[in-house]
Amino acid sequence: MTTDSDRDRTLLPFIASHGLIHGLSASLPALLPLIMEEFNLNYTEVGILSFSLGASIGMMSILTGILSDIMRNKINILGYALLSTGIFSFFIIFTRDYISLLFYMVILGFLLSFYHPLALSYIAIFFRGERGRVFGMHEIGANLGLAAAPAIAGFLAPQVGWRVSYAVLAMPAVFSALFILSMNGARVRMRVRKENALKESATSAESAESAETSMCDDRDADGGGCDGAVRARGGVICAICDDLCDFVNQMRGRFIRQLYIAEGIFGFVVGGVSTFIPLYLVAEGFSVAFAGVVTGVFLAFGAIGKYLGGVISDIFGGRSAVSIGFLLAAPLFLAVPLMPCGFLSLVPLVLAGMTFPMALSAIITCISSEIPHSRTGIAFGFMMFAGFGFGSLSRPILGLAGDTLGISSIFFIISAVSLIGGAIIRA
């Protein structure tokens, strides 16, 4: 049986890795004011740039989610993908125009798309109880990285330039890869000890069958699983079709469809806000460094909300946690541009940063409960497609709104979308 200390040793590297890898994508919004100035971009073009990263992550997550279900070793695949991400990120120093930067973001999005389907699937299989709390803790790591990166980028960029700043912030992805790869050997040794203990205790046909099942579950936790191995031997194309057909059948349930719609709305709001908060603050007269710090604080408070959302999911159910996050944040987003001065607008902004993310850990918890273990990879891949793929549309839409209606208009749109999300999940 997996002890609490075993579980903690397994979860902690994922929490750290989640934060490190999210820091890489989160540093872009803090650098956008300088990128916008250098390339003489408008808000729409800035939105398209951010869209290219989010859309690439979302679309490629479907493929990496399927790979998570059919490939045997999730840990090694994830580790080498993160290592490639860290190395590739240094090449941003060679971008010299808007088009090359767009191309760079698309490739970076593909590399980043590996993390969530593989990691979330692994965690869903390995942790069987109190999933809301576990996913909430995993999301805390993301928000710590999301909070630190904009603040660091905001201070570094005016001194050394946005390209060097981004290259420096790519280093955590390398450490993240080392974290993940170091887990594989430890997990294999743990599995061998379990198998030996199970073999010794299998003194009857019933206990032998139980041991076989337990070992199969453990192999699932290590990243392949009996089902994944069998389907892989039957052919990759057949395994992909099998994965897609089963997922389509799962989508017939009304609640699971609502969860994916809610994830798309979550991505729309969070992607739009995190992209345009620095631009809004700079337009209001604040410095790039201060805008980066405020964006970091906004995202840091989300760590509290995500953990609370997971706990509320375990106690009252995921639907309640998702709706609370959406409905509480809507008036707070609305209040940001209505405050009498810029500094006062920071109060509802930070509070919205704490309440709205409650929805995400609840959505992840519900999906992991609704989908069989053998299909969690594709389930989380489509979740990332909904969150990053559909959510990335907010960047050009809000950028166009900023150009035509003023940068403050984005908060009115986000407030309305958040309210609609709460209504849909409660329906």
Side-chain angles (χ1 to χ4, degrees), residues 87 164 383:
I87 293 172
V164 175
M383 188 196 81

Side-chain angles (χ1 to χ4, degrees), residues 98-250:
Y98 180 67
I99 298 301
S100 65
L101 188 57
L102 279 174
F103 181 72
Y104 171 89
M105 289 298 165
V106 171
I107 298 177
L108 180 63
F110 165 69
L111 295 174
L112 290 173
S113 71
F114 279 84
Y115 180 81
H116 289 89
L118 289 161
L120 292 175
S121 176
Y122 185 99
I123 293 172
I125 293 170
F126 191 83
F127 295 92
R128 303 300 174 91
E130 293 186 322
R131 283 182 178 170
R133 182 187 65 84
V134 171
F135 281 121
M137 292 178 65
H138 180 245
E139 290 299 322
I140 286 176
N143 277 80
L144 293 178
L146 289 170
I152 295 171
F155 276 109
L156 279 180
Q159 311 301 323
V160 299
W162 62 267
R163 291 180 180 83
V164 175
S165 298
Y166 202 84
V168 170
L169 289 167
M171 294 177 61
V174 176
F175 294 119
S176 180
L178 297 177
F179 263 127
I180 294 296
L181 289 172
S182 68
M183 290 179 59
N184 195 43
R187 286 292 300 134
V188 169
R189 290 191 296 271
M190 185 189 302
R191 188 185 68 198
V192 170
R193 290 197 301 268
K194 284 185 179 181
E195 289 177 348
N196 290 337
L198 287 167
K199 288 176 181 177
E200 291 176 2
S201 63
T203 57
S204 65
E206 182 178 352
S207 60
E209 181 180 356
S210 176
E212 182 181 354
T213 302
S214 299
M215 287 187 291
C216 178
D217 289 342
D218 189 58
R219 286 194 297 271
D220 272 340
D222 280 333
C226 297
D227 186 37
V230 170
R231 289 189 291 127
R233 286 198 299 270
V236 174
I237 301 301
C238 291
I240 292 174
C241 293
D242 191 24
D243 231 24
L244 287 171
C245 289
D246 278 1
F247 180 74
V248 169
N249 289 332
Q250 292 290 329

Side-chain angles (χ1 to χ4, degrees), residues 1-7 10 126-127 187 190 194 218:
M1 181 177 293
T2 305
T3 65
D4 290 340
S5 60
D6 289 336
R7 291 173 183 267
T10 299
F126 191 83
F127 295 92
R187 286 292 300 134
M190 185 189 302
K194 284 185 179 181
D218 189 58

Side-chain angles (χ1 to χ4, degrees), residues 10-25 74-87 89-90 111-112 114-116 118-119 138 141-142 145 168-184:
T10 299
L11 184 59
L12 286 174
F14 277 103
I15 294 174
S17 300
H18 201 192
L20 294 174
I21 200 64
H22 265 287
L24 187 58
S25 59
K74 292 181 177 66
I75 299 298
N76 279 348
I77 296 172
L78 180 58
Y80 289 123
L82 294 179
L83 184 62
S84 301
T85 301
I87 293 172
S89 296
F90 287 96
L111 295 174
L112 290 173
F114 279 84
Y115 180 81
H116 289 89
L118 289 161
H138 180 245
V168 170
L169 289 167
M171 294 177 61
V174 176
F175 294 119
S176 180
L178 297 177
F179 263 127
I180 294 296
L181 289 172
S182 68
M183 290 179 59
N184 195 43

Side-chain angles (χ1 to χ4, degrees), residues 333-345:
F333 284 128
L334 182 63
V336 172
L338 300 179
M339 301 302 287
C341 69
F343 278 105
L344 285 179
S345 67

